[in-house]
Amino acid sequence: MNNRNYQKELTELLQSQEEKKKLFLHCCCAPCSSYVLEYLHPYFDITIFFYNPNITEEPEYQKRKQELMRYLAEVPFGKEIQRMDADYEPEKFLHLAKGYEKEPERGERCRLCFSLRLTETARQAAEGKYDYFCTTLSISPHKDAQLLMSLGEELAEQYGIPYLPSDFKKKNGYKRSIELSAEYGLYRQDYCGCVFSKAAKQEVERKS
């Protein structure tokens, strides 16, 4: 059983830093990124990476990306945040999802999806010689922070760049993201992004 307190580890790391480090941060959407960026920007020079091939319908992909850009344009610290654009590659997600179409949410398909996004994040972070890489995904109560940490630390060893210890839903992070979403009128999607999660959501709505 894993008893690590990732939030405590992050707090201790931030308190020990004597100068800003470079962080390459995978961002999944504006609402999840809002609190994470607010929290981390005093400690890191952040470059965001919107790499989400799991968003399999392009209008939805563009809507989420533009909403994140709008948030950065409106928050006071937004001009301090750098960004790296990624290609829209839904075919990569659909390829790895073959055979897992009927998997429930939080099953093997989701693990493969996390791995796909984190692997590309780690690769880009190593290439750019960043001090850390991480993802905003752990802020969601529907995402397993332990799984994300495990994947992140495996990739950290593979690419030679540390994964930032994190469980951003802690310290009322998820609550704060809801507050920021309301303050800035952010679009809060109600499914993760893939056609399979959308279909599952619609099925639940049909039965209710």
Side-chain angles (χ1 to χ4, degrees):
M1 185 175 180
N2 190 327
N3 293 316
R4 288 173 62 185
N5 185 326
Y6 306 127
Q7 178 57 50
K8 182 180 178 182
E9 290 180 30
L10 177 57
T11 298
E12 291 173 352
L13 185 152
L14 297 179
Q15 289 174 344
S16 69
Q17 280 192 177
E18 297 181 357
E19 59 183 17
K20 276 191 170 187
K21 301 289 187 179
K22 290 173 60 182
L23 171 66
F24 196 67
L25 180 66
H26 168 261
C27 291
C28 54
C29 64
C32 290
S33 303
S34 61
Y35 163 74
V36 177
L37 292 170
E38 180 185 69
Y39 176 35
L40 294 181
H41 90 271
Y43 304 99
F44 295 98
D45 290 324
I46 300 173
T47 298
I48 64 167
F49 186 49
F50 187 82
Y51 180 68
N52 298 291
N54 61 301
I55 306 176
T56 39
E57 296 176 324
E58 187 166 9
E60 182 70 17
Y61 178 90
Q62 295 299 340
K63 186 173 185 177
R64 295 190 194 189
K65 182 176 180 178
Q66 292 308 313
E67 197 70 342
L68 177 57
M69 297 306 104
R70 181 175 71 82
Y71 176 71
L72 287 175
E74 293 183 12
V75 291
F77 58 83
K79 289 187 172 67
E80 302 170 26
I81 308 296
Q82 304 298 310
R83 87 169 195 242
M84 180 181 290
D85 285 328
D87 293 333
Y88 177 50
E89 302 176 324
E91 67 280 357
K92 289 192 173 182
F93 168 76
L94 292 171
H95 176 75
L96 69 82
K98 283 184 178 177
Y100 300 100
E101 294 89 347
K102 301 298 184 183
E103 278 278 302
E105 291 296 290
R106 306 191 194 188
E108 180 63 12
R109 186 184 65 242
C110 292
R111 189 192 70 79
L112 292 169
C113 175
F114 297 157
S115 180
L116 173 66
R117 291 187 275 174
L118 282 174
T119 297
E120 183 61 15
T121 303
R123 188 184 73 79
Q124 295 285 355
E127 193 172 286
K129 302 189 185 309
Y130 286 81
D131 298 302
Y132 295 94
F133 75 104
C134 191
T135 179
T136 60
L137 284 165
S138 70
I139 196 170
S140 169
H142 303 295
K143 301 294 189 291
D144 185 342
Q146 184 175 326
L147 172 59
L148 291 166
M149 278 295 302
S150 176
L151 291 170
E153 290 181 330
E154 287 175 13
L155 290 164
E157 188 170 337
Q158 180 180 344
Y159 286 92
I161 175 171
Y163 185 79
L164 194 71
S166 49
D167 185 357
F168 293 120
K169 67 179 71 65
K170 302 295 186 181
K171 287 186 65 176
N172 287 320
Y174 179 65
K175 178 176 180 287
R176 179 59 179 154
S177 75
I178 294 173
E179 292 171 350
L180 287 166
S181 294
E183 182 179 346
Y184 288 92
L186 298 178
Y187 164 60
R188 292 184 64 84
Q189 63 277 356
D190 56 4
Y191 68 105
C192 83
C194 73
V195 291
F196 312 111
S197 65
K198 184 177 182 180
K201 180 207 71 166
Q202 290 172 336
E203 180 65 14
V204 169
E205 289 175 348
R206 186 184 66 80
K207 291 181 177 178
S208 62

